[in-house]
Amino acid sequence: MLSLIWRIRVVVALATTCLCAPVLAQPFGADGSETDNERLRPGIYPAAPVLDDYGVPVEPHHLPFDIDWSVGLRGTLTQSTSGQTFVTRLTPQFSALYDGSLADITANGSAEIAKPSGQDNVTITNMRLGLSADMALDNVTRLSGNAAFSLSKDLPGSLDLNPQLVVPPQVMSGNLGVGIDRQFGLFNVGVDAEAARTTYGPSTRRDTGETDNVDQNRWTASGNLRVGYQITPIFEVFTQAGLARDFFDVAGVNGEKADATNRTLRAGVSGSWNNILTASVSAGVGQRIFHAGNVGDVTTQLYGASLSFTPDPTVLMTASLETTLEPAGPDNAGTARIQNTALANLAYTVNSWLRLRASADWSTTQFVGSTETENRYGVGAGADYSVNAHTALSADYGYGRRDNSSRGQSDSHQVSLGITLSR
């Protein structure tokens, strides 16, 4: 009997061994998986998968927007008809971007603080603060808004100034605008409106002494309507109408306020080729109607063109032509200024640490109500050298020439060297 029981146990043990043999023949990895697991293949680290941000410390006070900033220090030597000057400039700037689910908001600011050699005073020659927002109301409608404040003051002896100016005026301006764009099939419609305030500080001239310039302070309200038709995926024809009204604070030297209404009408065509080449050209008419009965209206042709060419990521070429009709401004003769301006810029990125730049500009100005005219042109070249991700050196040369029918000719050569630290 015992022999029979023993034989049964041996048979069961052998059967169990045979059934388990195929399984035991498969080796296991260190984590308990089989060797054909893809995580154990060559080149793949044999560890459990983790989240991308696992083990990355979270900033205790992480802001909901991205901030970039830079600070530049530049020295400029200028040799002009009026003499030689050296100016040191500090140029801080910042930008903050909020990329939200409902709207994109951008805040930016910049300043230029200048100190001429041999002088103790420091001048804020330029400062600007801006805020803009853009929101998609639906797939074909976008709403945008902007606000800005700026302050500027030229240094005595600048090429842009009247040679009679000893102390240039400080100019402050602010604006608030809103716009909406919507697509109606092949039609693109845009409407915008803006309110602006411009004030001028006192200036001092060699011939007339100090002038308070309060007769140049004004409020401006403006609006534009643009309607375009997409005739092909590349080309769009458009027309644009604008209306603006200037409200001056006080009367000028002639005893009348310079209040006026600007009316503009343009038509043109624009095109875009795969974001490599974009171009636009337009022509129209502008009219400035003065409310004072003793000042004649001004009518002029308006021209506009723009071009941007980027054949590859290393090259960027831009050019533009624009006609403007606006108030003559302080220390200028006439009742209005008609100005044609052409600009061209070329940038070439040689490699990751060197970038070359070149520019040219030309303008002609007519002061309506006087015989004064002015022609200007200039050329420039520069280079940017990246020392590392946060430090860059720059060098620039510029030449400018002005020919004014009342003030004569003047030219200037500028050489500047600078360093910029950025985030």
Side-chain angles (χ1 to χ4, degrees):
M1 183 66 178
L2 293 174
S3 176
L4 179 60
I5 295 175
W6 175 253
R7 291 176 181 176
I8 293 174
R9 289 179 176 178
V10 171
V11 172
V12 171
L14 290 175
T16 303
T17 301
C18 293
L19 292 173
C20 295
V23 177
L24 296 175
Q26 296 292 333
F28 288 86
D31 60 350
S33 62
E34 299 175 1
T35 55
D36 63 349
N37 190 301
E38 66 177 13
R39 293 187 293 106
L40 299 181
R41 293 175 182 173
I44 300 180
Y45 188 77
V50 296
L51 298 176
D52 292 340
D53 58 353
Y54 179 80
V56 178
V58 179
E59 296 185 35
H61 302 290
H62 181 69
L63 298 176
F65 43 82
D66 296 327
I67 296 180
D68 286 317
W69 58 266
S70 67
V71 178
L73 182 64
R74 186 172 74 251
T76 303
L77 177 65
T78 303
Q79 180 67 51
S80 65
T81 305
S82 57
Q84 180 175 291
T85 60
F86 181 82
V87 180
T88 304
R89 291 179 171 88
L90 184 68
T91 56
Q93 58 181 341
F94 79 93
S95 66
L97 172 63
Y98 172 75
D99 188 4
S101 58
L102 296 179
D104 297 334
I105 302 175
T106 303
N108 54 68
S110 62
E112 183 182 83
I113 305 169
K115 182 185 182 302
S117 178
Q119 300 183 17
D120 296 330
N121 61 308
V122 175
T123 303
I124 300 178
T125 54
N126 199 340
M127 183 179 70
R128 186 185 185 279
L129 297 173
L131 179 67
S132 62
D134 184 81
M135 179 174 61
L137 300 181
D138 54 43
N139 293 334
V140 294
T141 309
R142 299 198 69 87
L143 179 67
S144 61
N146 65 84
F149 168 80
S150 65
L151 179 150
S152 64
K153 184 174 184 178
D154 292 321
L155 293 176
S158 300
L159 184 65
D160 295 340
L161 289 179
N162 187 326
Q164 294 296 328
L165 274 176
V166 179
V167 179
Q170 178 177 272
V171 184
M172 290 191 299
S173 64
N175 65 276
L176 182 66
V178 64
I180 186 170
D181 297 283
R182 182 174 175 83
Q183 292 181 346
F184 297 91
L186 296 178
F187 286 94
N188 303 313
V189 180
V191 180
D192 65 76
E194 184 180 75
R197 171 69 174 171
T198 306
T199 62
Y200 294 85
S203 59
T204 303
R205 295 172 57 101
R206 291 187 176 89
D207 49 358
T208 60
E210 183 174 317
T211 304
D212 57 19
N213 293 316
V214 294
D215 59 328
Q216 299 295 325
N217 299 341
R218 66 183 184 272
W219 288 94
T220 302
S222 62
N224 294 280
L225 171 64
R226 185 185 187 277
V227 179
Y229 181 73
Q230 202 74 39
I231 55 177
T232 72
I234 295 177
F235 292 103
E236 178 198 38
V237 293
F238 67 90
T239 182
Q240 181 173 340
L243 186 66
R245 170 73 183 273
D246 291 323
F247 304 88
F248 286 81
D249 291 357
V250 298
V253 294
N254 59 356
E256 296 280 355
K257 285 187 178 183
D259 293 355
T261 299
N262 270 27
R263 300 186 298 191
T264 60
L265 181 64
R266 297 173 180 262
V269 60
S270 63
S272 178
W273 291 263
N274 297 324
N275 294 323
I276 296 177
L277 176 64
T278 60
S280 175
V281 61
S282 65
V285 62
Q287 188 176 36
R288 185 168 178 84
I289 303 172
F290 292 93
H291 299 175
N294 58 350
V295 182
D297 299 338
V298 180
T299 302
T300 185
Q301 298 294 319
L302 301 178
Y303 302 98
S306 64
L307 175 69
S308 177
F309 180 53
T310 310
D312 58 63
T314 65
V315 178
L316 173 60
M317 300 174 59
T318 60
S320 64
L321 171 67
E322 188 67 27
T323 303
T324 58
L325 174 60
E326 56 190 6
D331 301 299
N332 290 314
T335 58
R337 176 206 303 257
I338 301 173
Q339 183 168 311
N340 295 283
T341 304
L343 304 172
N345 294 278
L346 172 63
Y348 174 58
T349 302
V350 180
N351 47 45
S352 60
W353 47 267
L354 181 61
R355 183 170 181 260
L356 304 179
R357 297 174 279 104
S359 63
D361 63 87
W362 168 87
S363 69
T364 176
T365 304
Q366 176 187 356
F367 295 94
V368 181
S370 74
T371 59
E372 183 178 352
T373 60
E374 185 171 279
N375 297 313
R376 298 187 187 188
Y377 66 87
V379 293
D384 300 316
Y385 176 79
S386 296
V387 179
N388 53 47
H390 305 287
T391 308
L393 303 177
S394 62
D396 289 272
Y397 167 77
Y399 171 76
R401 183 176 180 84
R402 182 184 66 180
D403 184 1
N404 187 283
S405 60
S406 301
R407 308 164 192 170
Q409 297 180 350
S410 59
D411 58 6
S412 69
H413 298 265
Q414 286 188 344
V415 177
S416 65
L417 298 174
I419 183 173
T420 301
L421 305 178
S422 60
R423 179 177 182 271

